[in-house]
Amino acid sequence: MKLLAALLLLSLLCEVHAAFTERLTLRPLPAINQVLGRFEFSVDESSSVSNSLLPNVLRQILTKHNAESLHLTLSVGRYADWRYGSAHTFYGSGSAHAPFGTRLQVSLRGDQDVQQRWRGITSELGAIFSASLNQMDETVFTDLLPSSTLEEVGAFPATNANPKFVFLHGSLAREELCTENLTPWLKMLPCRAIEGLGALIDPINALSGEYLSMSLFVARSTDDTWTLKQHLTTVQSPSKHNKERWSLGSIFFANGQHTAEIRACPLAVESLVYTESMGLVDTVTTDLRATPVVLARPWFETWKDAAKAASSQHSYQTQEDVVSAHRFVTGYGQVRGGLAVQLKNNHASCGMRVTYTDVIPWYLRVYFHTFRASAAGSEQEAQSLIRSFDFVPAELRGRPNQFRLEAFLPANATLVFSLQMDKAFLRLSEHPPDANRGFDIAPGVATFKVLDGNDGSSVCAKEAETPSFTTTLFTEPLLVPLPTPDFSMPYNVITMTSTVVAFFVGTMLNALLRKAPRFKQMMASSSSAK
């Protein structure tokens, strides 16, 4: 009996080391008549847990390739703070936005066979999520520059910054999020989409929204503790048949499922719904473990009044983000061109430190000696603001171009810099099926941070308090046209060659094997005479 009691106590202690939490943050956006929903699911457990909540396939990938962590994001649309609110003010970890397309970040233990381990991880993750991650070859992914940090490339906040680890990252701007990517993501939840907050995620309805971002972060520590964090951010409006009913059912379901209840996942130790007020001041917390919620229950009572007040504000359409980062393609034609980046600080009183990192494919031959920068129309002013500019040139059909710029932006200042480039003429086999559409370039990353002034520099006006402000922005993806050959020529060459070969072979066969009619008659007459 004592042994049995000890085993039961040991099993209970092991179960304590496994914790699953689920949270949902609802942010009303009455000015655009939509609601932003931020889902966060987290699993923390040790390897000694008997009934693991962590998907075994993720555990096998990290163990097989000796990886410390991986972070996968898929996104459709571009997050705008002035439209959706700040992406860094949600409960939990991580931010609500991600770059357009697909991005993968991996932290490897040791520097042996880095490329082979990266290919293995991308192939296995691509098979799980039905994504073309195997296209992230050596021409796409890269490591950190010596002067860069994890924060500057938009790494997940929980990523281990140990310098002994090899941090690799790659992006595919063309790989967009769809239902076949979201379905396996939902199956990794302990209660899937059957119970808990996961039941509110309808893949088809989620993709019909204005913005959708999905992420997955899994990591293990040196003490063999495993962590899994899944985030999903969506911007939805009520279904067409329920425009006046701002309930959870009308927001997250398009087919009118309003009679059911949403309950907490039985395996969750915490299941909370945070509802922000219309003015982003107060937050109402609802515990699903204590009280289930009916989907038909009105969730935003004063929506009509808030929408009318927001529509009466004529300055809404002219609002700007506190900081912004944009990237453009300059020039024309399919031979030469350029890249231009605009970094803007709209804060009224505080200067900011900004770092911009970008990865450009090898087939855009960037000439770094053509770097030009201007601030307030003056190149000398821009040179005084730029602290450093580092770059690594690309290799032919190998690693991509990579550069990093660090600058100080005063209040209400704009920095614009540009680079010239040539567009390579690719081989026929290197073109995609729709080569005339152009080639997609992944977004760049800009990090803005308000300095504390400890170095003696005055970053804020005397009458203003220094705010705690650090944000990471992603620029727009680019579509760059490259010189394309005449794709009809291979068909013409094959047709002409086949015709010539067929004519030659047919003529030779007739000359060698076919007998003339006169010769046949002579043979017949000679045989009859005998």
Side-chain angles (χ1 to χ4, degrees):
M1 293 296 295
K2 293 182 179 180
L3 179 60
L4 180 59
L7 291 176
L8 290 175
L9 179 61
L10 181 61
S11 63
L12 291 175
L13 291 176
C14 291
E15 293 296 333
V16 171
H17 293 289
F20 169 63
T21 61
E22 54 180 3
R23 299 187 183 97
L24 169 62
T25 303
L26 295 175
R27 174 177 293 175
L29 307 172
I32 58 176
N33 203 38
Q34 294 184 352
V35 174
L36 185 144
R38 164 75 168 173
F39 294 87
E40 179 181 352
F41 305 92
S42 177
V43 174
D44 294 288
E45 66 180 26
S46 62
S47 59
S48 59
V49 175
S50 57
N51 297 322
S52 176
L53 300 179
L54 189 77
N56 193 34
V57 63
L58 297 178
R59 191 191 300 268
Q60 291 175 351
I61 291 177
L62 264 64
T63 304
K64 176 182 177 181
H65 301 287
N66 195 19
E68 175 74 11
S69 64
L70 64 87
H71 184 211
L72 176 66
T73 62
L74 296 96
S75 178
V76 175
R78 188 168 185 265
Y79 195 98
D81 285 356
W82 70 270
R83 186 173 178 86
Y84 305 136
S86 176
H88 299 269
T89 57
F90 290 96
Y91 291 88
S93 59
S95 59
H97 67 318
F100 188 91
T102 302
R103 183 182 63 165
L104 176 63
Q105 298 174 334
V106 178
S107 183
L108 300 176
R109 296 178 177 178
D111 55 357
Q112 297 83 15
D113 301 327
V114 171
Q115 292 191 4
Q116 183 177 357
R117 291 155 67 187
W118 171 270
R119 286 195 296 266
I121 293 175
T122 54
S123 299
E124 294 169 11
L125 286 178
I128 295 173
F129 291 98
S130 301
S132 303
L133 301 184
N134 57 338
Q135 295 182 4
M136 293 184 183
D137 53 11
E138 61 275 3
T139 64
V140 175
F141 78 90
T142 183
D143 55 357
L144 287 178
L145 288 173
S147 56
S148 297
T149 62
L150 296 180
E151 183 183 34
E152 294 176 359
V153 296
F156 195 79
T159 304
N160 195 332
N162 192 332
K164 296 182 180 179
F165 297 154
V166 178
F167 182 81
L168 304 176
H169 59 101
S171 300
L172 294 175
R174 187 75 183 274
E175 189 72 19
E176 299 180 10
L177 179 60
C178 60
T179 55
E180 61 187 11
N181 308 129
L182 188 55
T183 300
W185 184 88
L186 286 172
K187 291 183 178 180
M188 292 185 178
L189 299 177
C191 292
R192 300 194 176 187
I194 302 174
E195 291 288 342
L197 294 176
L200 291 175
I201 303 176
D202 181 18
I204 297 179
N205 189 62
L207 286 168
S208 63
E210 185 175 305
Y211 175 81
L212 179 62
S213 173
M214 180 191 82
S215 70
L216 178 142
F217 174 80
V218 58
R220 58 173 179 168
S221 59
T222 54
D223 58 353
D224 215 9
T225 300
W226 294 80
T227 301
L228 172 63
K229 295 185 181 297
Q230 296 176 252
H231 298 90
L232 187 137
T233 305
T234 178
V235 178
Q236 296 288 337
S237 58
S239 59
K240 298 179 180 179
H241 303 289
N242 298 277
K243 281 291 185 182
E244 302 299 329
R245 301 182 61 183
W246 286 91
S247 62
L248 295 182
S250 64
I251 295 173
F252 293 106
F253 296 100
N255 54 1
Q257 297 181 8
H258 307 299
T259 58
E261 288 184 343
I262 182 70
R263 300 176 180 272
C265 175
L267 300 176
V269 298
E270 182 181 85
S271 182
L272 302 175
V273 178
Y274 301 104
T275 306
E276 297 181 357
S277 63
M278 298 295 180
L280 298 178
V281 178
D282 300 326
T283 301
V284 179
T285 303
T286 304
D287 190 354
L288 295 182
R289 298 187 66 194
T291 306
V293 175
V294 180
L295 294 180
R297 165 192 163 187
W299 205 259
F300 299 101
E301 299 288 350
T302 60
W303 185 272
K304 288 185 178 181
D305 299 335
K308 291 180 181 179
S311 61
S312 62
Q313 297 177 0
H314 301 288
S315 61
Y316 172 76
Q317 296 295 338
T318 61
Q319 291 183 14
E320 291 183 317
D321 294 331
V322 178
V323 292
S324 62
H326 300 282
R327 187 180 60 176
F328 313 93
V329 177
T330 60
Y332 58 91
Q334 296 183 335
V335 179
R336 296 180 179 86
L339 297 174
V341 179
Q342 182 192 66
L343 305 174
K344 193 172 184 180
N345 176 18
N346 296 317
H347 201 282
S349 57
C350 291
M352 297 188 185
R353 171 183 173 269
V354 56
T355 57
Y356 179 81
T357 59
D358 209 341
V359 178
I360 307 298
W362 67 268
Y363 47 78
L364 298 181
R365 298 170 180 171
V366 181
Y367 298 107
F368 292 96
H369 71 278
T370 63
F371 176 82
R372 297 290 183 273
S374 64
S378 173
E379 293 189 3
Q380 294 181 353
E381 178 69 18
Q383 294 299 327
S384 64
L385 298 179
I386 297 176
R387 299 291 185 261
S388 63
F389 179 73
D390 306 321
F391 68 91
V392 176
E395 294 180 352
L396 183 63
R397 291 178 174 81
R399 71 183 182 196
N401 300 282
Q402 190 176 8
F403 65 88
R404 172 185 179 272
L405 180 138
E406 180 181 351
F408 173 77
L409 285 182
N412 291 320
T414 302
L415 176 66
V416 179
F417 66 91
S418 62
L419 293 163
Q420 300 301 313
M421 64 182 181
D422 284 345
K423 304 173 184 179
F425 191 85
L426 303 180
R427 299 169 182 168
L428 183 65
S429 59
E430 294 174 339
H431 288 276
D434 53 349
N436 290 306
R437 173 185 173 272
F439 287 72
D440 295 271
I441 310 301
V445 185
T447 303
F448 294 82
K449 185 175 183 179
V450 175
L451 300 179
D452 54 8
N454 293 334
D455 57 352
S457 60
S458 177
V459 296
C460 291
K462 295 182 179 180
E463 64 276 5
E465 297 182 359
T466 302
S468 176
F469 183 89
T470 300
T471 185
T472 300
L473 301 180
F474 302 98
T475 66
E476 303 87 352
L478 296 180
L479 186 63
V480 180
L482 261 64
T484 55
D486 185 359
F487 290 101
S488 64
M489 288 306 297
Y491 171 77
N492 297 336
V493 172
I494 293 173
T495 304
M496 182 178 296
T497 305
S498 301
T499 303
V500 172
V501 171
F503 180 78
F504 175 76
V505 172
T507 304
M508 292 298 296
L509 290 176
N510 286 334
L512 295 176
L513 302 178
R514 192 173 183 181
K515 298 179 180 180
R518 179 63 179 171
F519 183 73
K520 289 182 178 180
Q521 293 179 2
M522 293 175 61
M523 294 293 293
S525 60
S526 62
S527 61
S528 61
K530 293 180 179 180

